[in-house]
Amino acid sequence: MGLFIGAMLLSLIGWIFMLTGALGAYLHLYWIVSLLSFAAMMLITIWDMWRIKVMAENGSMNDNLALYCAFMLYVDFIYLFMRVLRFVLYFANRRN
């Protein structure tokens, strides 16, 4: 959670750089924030999958909990997909 708060603060600083016109200085910060938030989300997804596995092994799964776990993983994968799409679109636009 602390990594996400730090990434949000760095993103806010980046927006200030973009508004002042110092985009070149922000570009390195943007990539650091993007890669750190991607790595953090990968770790959160791994942790969520481990928690679901432990719940399933304990036999504490019911329909509502299974739906909650599915939604949890769905949100994680959507966020990762959006992050990967952002990287792909950035590099596709750089080639043109």
Side-chain angles (χ1 to χ4, degrees):
M1 191 56 117
L3 193 65
F4 276 126
I5 293 172
M8 285 183 183
L9 289 176
L10 286 175
S11 294
L12 181 65
I13 291 170
W15 278 60
I16 292 169
F17 279 149
M18 283 178 40
L19 291 175
T20 60
L23 186 60
Y26 172 67
L27 195 58
H28 296 292
L29 183 64
Y30 169 77
W31 281 109
I32 291 170
V33 169
S34 294
L35 292 175
L36 284 177
S37 64
F38 183 76
M41 198 62 204
M42 289 288 290
L43 290 173
I44 289 172
T45 303
I46 291 168
W47 183 64
D48 285 344
M49 291 178 74
W50 174 78
R51 264 189 351 179
I52 291 169
K53 181 182 172 193
V54 167
M55 282 188 266
E57 287 174 352
N58 290 339
S60 62
M61 295 295 284
N62 60 23
D63 289 341
N64 290 336
L65 190 59
L67 285 174
Y68 171 74
C69 292
F71 179 72
M72 210 168 39
L73 285 178
Y74 175 74
V75 170
D76 291 345
F77 288 131
I78 292 295
Y79 182 82
L80 288 173
F81 175 73
M82 288 174 32
R83 218 20 108 167
V84 168
L85 189 62
R86 178 183 275 178
F87 292 145
V88 168
L89 289 177
Y90 176 78
F91 286 117
N93 287 337
R94 276 190 82 185
R95 286 189 172 184
N96 294 332

